[in-house]
Amino acid sequence: MEQITVVREAVVPLQRFALRWELGSPDHAMVTTFLLAEENGGTRVTITETGYETREQAKPTEEGYAMSLENLKAHLEGRRLPY
């Protein structure tokens, strides 16, 4: 089983939160960043993740975040979570 270490990279309350995922060693890492920005009376959430070698490696994570954001939107709107 591969060891994963998670390090908090940055925290700027209500603006930015970033995690560094070290996959076996610090040389093989991914960084996930969540950015929040006020926009048109609401909040825009932008998620980026770096460290993938190919687009194919990122695809399952992309799909997972899309579902997570749909759940977040449904929660904020008071609806049943779709996933």
Side-chain angles (χ1 to χ4, degrees):
M1 177 182 246
E2 185 176 36
Q3 179 180 340
I4 299 174
T5 302
V6 181
V7 178
R8 187 177 51 228
E9 284 265 304
V11 176
V12 180
L14 303 177
Q15 293 178 18
R16 181 173 183 255
F17 180 75
L19 296 171
R20 177 182 183 83
W21 306 83
E22 296 176 356
L23 310 171
S25 77
D27 296 334
H28 184 216
M30 297 185 321
V31 176
T32 306
T33 303
F34 300 84
L35 297 174
L36 304 175
E38 289 185 32
E39 184 176 286
N40 300 322
T43 302
R44 174 180 291 275
V45 178
T46 304
I47 302 170
T48 57
E49 194 157 80
T50 61
Y52 292 103
E53 293 179 13
T54 68
R55 180 88 173 133
E56 276 305 304
Q57 288 177 330
K59 193 150 186 72
T61 301
E62 239 176 63
E63 293 166 358
Y65 280 127
M67 290 187 297
S68 294
L69 288 172
E70 285 183 51
N71 280 344
L72 176 60
K73 184 175 190 279
H75 173 72
L76 293 172
E77 293 173 349
R79 296 183 289 114
R80 171 178 263 159
L81 302 185
Y83 299 100

